């Protein structure tokens, strides 16, 4: 035991140094572990603090990101607003430093859009600030534009030699956007400009038509033609005057010019003079109406821009974040007006156009009416009278094609004034023939007359000319006013022929004379007649042909009866 103990002591003694070192190492490790524990505890605290800071940074990052998205959402609308309300220096320079001219046409709509945008965005301070500048520019633009238009109308009022249509189409219409600007932004100034034009144009047309109608009156006085009943006038031939009938159409001979009246030997029939006046009236009236309709209607809104310019990228239809109705504007889908509202608007616009046109043309309408009344004093013969009626109808149809309703109404009024005169003259002719057919004279106080062959032949020639002329002037075969009167006249002509042949005692001579008269009528109605294919001409030829055949049968019957004796 002692030896074992001694061995152990010796063993431990020999390793004492190792054990001490091991103990020191253990102590050192314990100290290190304590230090590490302290460090880890501190690190844990620091880590908790860092985690809190990271969480705070994340929250701040989210807030910044949201604010950035909000800024991006309003960036383009705000940019669009600034672009819409900002007035470029070039526009301001043109309005302030230059006279009205073609450069104004290019910038006036752009300026007005910016002006309207400033008014519509009045709640935005920037828009209010720019709006004050825009309002000043508006006043300057309205003032300069007013002076420009008033100066533009001066040549029209001062000289009738001014070519009105050239000024209208080449100059005035070109500046229509400037007048539209006045209508929307300075209505009082626009009304003043309109009144100035109406006054100038009224003087221009009044002076021109007064002089022209006076010249035509001089020509008319040189060859006054008055109505004579066919029973008291002579008709040597049965041919119609196609040259005079041509005055019943717009397309035909050239018009009488004012300077021609200075030639004291120059004459024209009354229907030619009326045609000249009405053609000049038609061209000027329709041209003026077209100009008034184009230039003066009020445009309540600016012309729309192209879609690609109207839609900004931030406000495209595919963007769900629309800012319609916001401070920064946006698109509002326009509600289309109803059909009734559109019709009411068109009627209102036409009424306004008619009113302006009538203000300009009132003196001209009076001169035309006066000339028409003078053309009926004395009343012309029946064929020139119908020629004038057809001319008026043709002019009215052409005016209607040119879309001038006010002038169409005026022309129909003149037409309605002429039809009673036509009916009166036609009735006088028929009554005169009727009195002869009944055995009386052409007047109420004349004695009974004996019909001669020349008298009957003269009446037949009159009838042929009247019938062929009426057919030439009448395209519609069912026009009651014309052909009912011709039917009445034909009946009286047939009675005249019957009364004439009844004066002959010999039956053969009687039937021969009757056949000869019918043959004369047939030849006159068919020979050289360019309108023989007309349905009424065919019926007329058939009527007289039947009578002529019946007369021939009477001749044969009378000859056979004489031979049997």
């Amino acid at each position: 035991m002692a030896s074992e103990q001694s061995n152990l002591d010796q063993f431990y003694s020999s390793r004492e140094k190792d054990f001490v070192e091991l103990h020191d190492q253990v102590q050192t490790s314990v100290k290190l572990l304590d230090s590490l524990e302290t460090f880890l505890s501190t690190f844990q605290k620091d880590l908790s603090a860092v985690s809190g800071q990271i969480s705070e940074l994340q929250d701040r990052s989210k807030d910044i990101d949201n604010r950035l998205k909000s800024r991006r959402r309003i960036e383009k609308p705000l940019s669009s607003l600034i672009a819409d309300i900002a007035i470029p220096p070039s526009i301001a320079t043109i309005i302030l430093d230059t006279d009205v001219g073609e450069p104004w046409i290019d910038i006036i709509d752009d300026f007005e859009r910016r002006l309207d945008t400033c008014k519509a965005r009045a709640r935005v301070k920037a828009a209010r600030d720019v709006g004050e500048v825009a309002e000043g520019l508006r006043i300057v633009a309205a003032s300069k534009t007013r002076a420009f238009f008033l100066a533009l109308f001066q040549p029209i009022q001062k000289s009738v030699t001014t070519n009105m249509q050239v000024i209208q189409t080449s100059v005035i219409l070109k500046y229509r956007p400037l007048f539209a600007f006045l209508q929307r932004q300075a209505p009082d100034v626009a009304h003043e400009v309109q009144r100035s034009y109406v006054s100038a144009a009224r003087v221009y047309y009044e002076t021109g038509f007064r002089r022209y109608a006076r010249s035509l009156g001089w020509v008319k006085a040189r060859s006054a033609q008055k109505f004579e009943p066919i029973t008291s006038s002579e008709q040597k031939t049965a041919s119609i005057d196609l040259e005079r009938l041509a005055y019943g159409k717009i397309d035909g001979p050239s018009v009488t010019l004012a300077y021609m009246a200075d030639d004291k030997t120059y004459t024209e029939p009354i229907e030619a003079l009326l045609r000249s006046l009405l053609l000049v009236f038609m061209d000027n009236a329709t041209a003026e109406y077209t100009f008034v309709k184009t230039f003066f209607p009020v445009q309540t809104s600016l012309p729309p821009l192209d879609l690609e310019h109207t839609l900004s990228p931030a406000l495209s239809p595919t963007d769900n974040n629309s800012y319609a109705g916001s401070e920064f504007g946006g698109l509002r889908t326009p509600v289309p007006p109803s059909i009734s509202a559109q019709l009411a608007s068109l009627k209102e616009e036409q009424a306004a156009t008619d009113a302006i046109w009538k203000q300009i043309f009132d003196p001209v309408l009076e001169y035309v009416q006066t000339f028409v009344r003078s053309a009926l004093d004395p009343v012309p013969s029946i064929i020139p009278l119908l020629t004038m009626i057809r001319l008026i109808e043709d002019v009215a149809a052409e005016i209607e094609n040119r879309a001038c309703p006010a002038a169409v109404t005026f022309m129909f009024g003149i037409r309605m004034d002429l039809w009673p005169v036509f009916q009166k003259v036609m009735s006088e002719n028929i009554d005169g023939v009727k009195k002869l057919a009944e055995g009386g004279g052409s007047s109420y106080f004349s004695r009974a007359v004996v019909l001669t062959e020349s008298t009957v032949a003269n009446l037949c020639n009159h009838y042929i000319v009247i019938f062929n002329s009426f057919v030439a002037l009448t395209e519609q075969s069912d026009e009651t006013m014309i052909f009912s009167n011709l039917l009445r006249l034909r009946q009286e002509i047939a009675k005249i022929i019957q009364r004439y042949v009844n004066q002959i005692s010999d039956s053969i001579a009687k039937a021969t004379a009757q056949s000869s008269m019918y043959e004369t009528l047939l030849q006159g109605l068919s020979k050289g007649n360019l309108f023989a294919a007309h349905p009424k001409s065919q019926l007329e030829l058939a009527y007289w042909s039947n009578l002529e055949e019946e007369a021939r049968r009477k001749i044969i019957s009378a000859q056979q009866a004489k031979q049997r004796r």
Side-chain angles (χ1 to χ4, degrees):
M1 290 294 292
S3 62
E4 291 179 359
Q5 184 66 35
S6 175
N7 290 333
L8 287 172
D9 291 338
Q10 188 178 359
F11 173 77
Y12 283 113
S13 296
S14 62
R15 294 183 178 273
E16 178 181 3
K17 187 177 180 180
D18 293 335
F19 287 136
V20 172
E21 291 178 357
L22 181 61
H23 179 269
D24 292 339
Q25 290 177 357
V26 170
Q27 290 295 324
T28 302
S29 296
V30 171
K31 290 179 180 180
L32 288 173
L33 288 174
D34 290 340
S35 175
L36 181 61
E37 181 182 8
T38 303
F39 174 77
L40 289 175
S41 177
T42 303
F43 179 75
Q44 184 177 10
K45 292 179 181 179
D46 292 342
L47 189 61
S48 297
V50 170
S51 176
Q53 292 176 354
I54 290 174
S55 178
E56 182 181 355
L57 288 174
Q58 287 178 339
D59 292 339
R60 291 179 61 188
S61 176
K62 289 180 181 179
D63 182 58
I64 292 172
D65 187 56
N66 290 333
R67 291 168 62 187
L68 178 60
K69 289 181 179 179
S70 298
R71 294 291 188 273
R72 286 177 176 173
R73 289 173 62 188
I74 67 172
E75 176 186 4
K76 291 180 180 178
L78 183 60
S79 175
S80 177
L81 173 66
I82 295 173
D84 289 342
I85 66 174
I87 300 177
S90 58
I91 293 180
T93 300
I94 290 176
I95 294 176
L96 294 174
D97 299 338
T98 65
D99 294 330
V100 177
E102 292 187 9
W104 283 58
I105 301 174
D106 300 327
I107 60 96
I108 197 67
D109 285 349
D110 187 15
F111 168 67
E112 188 175 2
R113 284 190 178 88
R114 298 173 189 275
L115 179 63
D116 289 342
T117 303
C118 291
K119 293 178 180 178
R121 306 289 181 262
R123 289 185 296 174
V124 181
K125 185 178 184 302
R128 291 197 300 271
D129 294 341
V130 177
E132 295 177 359
V133 178
E135 180 63 17
L137 292 175
R138 181 195 70 83
I139 295 173
V140 173
S143 177
K144 286 189 174 183
T145 305
R146 170 189 172 276
F148 170 77
F149 278 117
L150 295 183
L152 201 61
F153 300 152
Q154 286 301 313
I156 299 174
Q157 190 169 12
K158 289 183 177 180
S159 175
V160 293
T161 59
T162 302
N163 193 321
M164 174 71 98
Q165 280 70 42
V166 171
I167 290 182
Q168 288 175 342
T169 56
S170 301
V171 182
I172 300 178
L173 281 178
K174 182 170 61 176
Y175 293 99
R176 163 64 182 155
L178 300 184
F179 183 73
F181 168 80
L182 291 180
Q183 287 178 313
R184 291 185 291 267
Q185 302 298 333
D188 293 340
V189 177
H191 290 156
E192 181 184 358
V193 171
Q194 178 177 308
R195 288 194 301 270
S196 176
Y197 173 80
V198 169
S199 176
R202 182 185 177 98
V203 171
Y204 175 85
Y205 287 114
E206 190 273 338
T207 304
F209 270 86
R210 183 182 71 248
R211 295 177 181 178
Y212 187 57
R214 183 175 58 197
S215 298
L216 295 181
W218 292 341
V219 178
K220 173 183 174 294
R222 295 172 191 154
S223 57
Q225 300 174 352
K226 63 179 181 178
F227 163 70
E228 291 183 0
I230 61 176
T231 54
S232 59
S233 60
E234 184 178 359
Q235 181 70 39
K236 295 181 180 180
T237 65
S239 60
I240 62 177
D241 190 345
L242 292 176
E243 291 185 1
R244 292 190 66 171
L245 294 181
Y247 295 124
K249 293 290 185 181
I250 292 177
D251 298 328
S254 58
V255 300
T256 299
L257 302 179
Y259 76 89
M260 295 179 178
D262 297 335
D263 183 0
K264 298 186 182 302
T265 62
Y266 180 79
T267 59
E268 284 283 5
I270 185 61
E271 60 268 34
L273 299 178
L274 179 63
R275 177 176 176 272
S276 297
L277 182 68
L278 291 184
L279 290 186
V280 173
F281 168 76
M282 176 186 69
D283 289 339
N284 285 275
T286 54
E288 185 63 28
Y289 191 90
T290 301
F291 170 77
V292 170
K293 184 178 180 180
T294 304
F295 190 78
F296 287 108
V298 178
Q299 292 183 356
T300 56
S301 60
L302 282 164
L305 292 172
D306 294 338
L307 186 62
E308 60 183 9
H309 297 298
T310 304
L311 294 177
S312 64
L315 300 174
S316 63
T318 58
D319 190 351
N320 294 327
N321 299 321
S322 174
Y323 279 81
S326 71
E327 288 292 331
F328 306 107
L331 291 178
R332 292 177 173 84
T333 303
V335 179
S338 63
I339 296 178
S340 59
Q342 292 179 0
L343 292 176
S345 177
L346 289 175
K347 288 182 179 179
E348 183 179 352
E349 181 178 331
Q350 180 179 328
T353 302
D354 290 351
I356 297 174
W357 182 86
K358 287 178 181 178
Q359 290 177 27
I360 296 172
F361 262 77
D362 266 344
V364 175
L365 301 182
E366 184 61 33
Y367 286 129
V368 174
Q369 286 181 324
T370 300
F371 188 85
V372 172
R373 286 193 292 266
S374 70
L376 300 177
D377 184 22
V379 177
S381 299
I382 191 66
I383 296 175
L385 192 56
L386 182 59
T387 303
M388 290 191 288
I389 292 174
R390 294 306 186 214
L391 168 65
I392 292 171
E393 292 174 345
D394 202 29
V395 170
E398 179 61 23
I399 292 176
E400 188 171 11
N401 290 336
R402 299 185 187 184
C404 182
V408 172
T409 303
F410 172 73
M411 293 303 299
F412 277 128
I414 295 179
R415 174 177 175 268
M416 295 304 295
D417 291 339
L418 261 65
W419 273 120
V421 179
F422 170 84
Q423 185 60 48
K424 179 181 178 182
V425 172
M426 196 67 190
S427 296
E428 289 181 6
N429 279 321
I430 295 172
D431 291 342
V433 177
K434 183 178 181 180
K435 287 182 175 61
L436 281 180
E438 293 174 350
S442 59
S443 65
Y444 288 100
F445 303 103
S446 60
R447 297 179 179 179
V449 295
V450 177
L451 290 177
T452 63
E453 182 179 359
S454 61
T455 301
V456 178
N458 181 60
L459 290 175
C460 288
N461 286 338
H462 269 298
Y463 177 74
I464 292 169
V465 172
I466 291 175
F467 184 88
N468 287 338
S469 298
F470 279 21
V471 169
L473 292 170
T474 307
E475 296 179 357
Q476 302 296 329
S477 60
D478 57 349
E479 191 162 346
T480 305
M481 175 71 78
I482 299 299
F483 294 108
S484 62
N485 281 298
L486 284 176
L487 177 60
R488 291 172 57 203
L489 182 59
R490 183 181 73 182
Q491 292 171 346
E492 300 306 327
I493 292 294
K495 291 178 182 179
I496 281 283
I497 295 175
Q498 188 63 45
R499 178 172 176 255
Y500 165 69
V501 299
N502 286 341
Q503 297 176 159
I504 303 174
S505 57
D506 183 71
S507 59
I508 296 177
K510 178 179 179 179
T512 302
Q514 193 173 27
S515 175
S516 176
M517 290 296 175
Y518 294 152
E519 183 65 28
T520 300
L521 286 166
L522 284 171
Q523 289 182 358
L525 292 171
S526 59
K527 186 177 180 180
N529 185 6
L530 300 177
F531 308 96
H534 194 281
K536 290 297 182 180
S537 292
Q538 294 296 314
L539 292 175
E540 190 70 13
L541 289 171
Y543 174 80
W544 293 111
S545 179
N546 290 335
L547 292 181
E548 197 273 337
E549 290 178 2
E550 183 179 349
R552 286 183 180 275
R553 286 195 295 270
K554 289 180 180 179
I555 294 174
I556 295 173
S557 177
Q559 289 176 345
Q560 291 175 350
K562 185 176 182 180
Q563 289 175 358
R564 285 195 296 269
R565 293 176 189 169

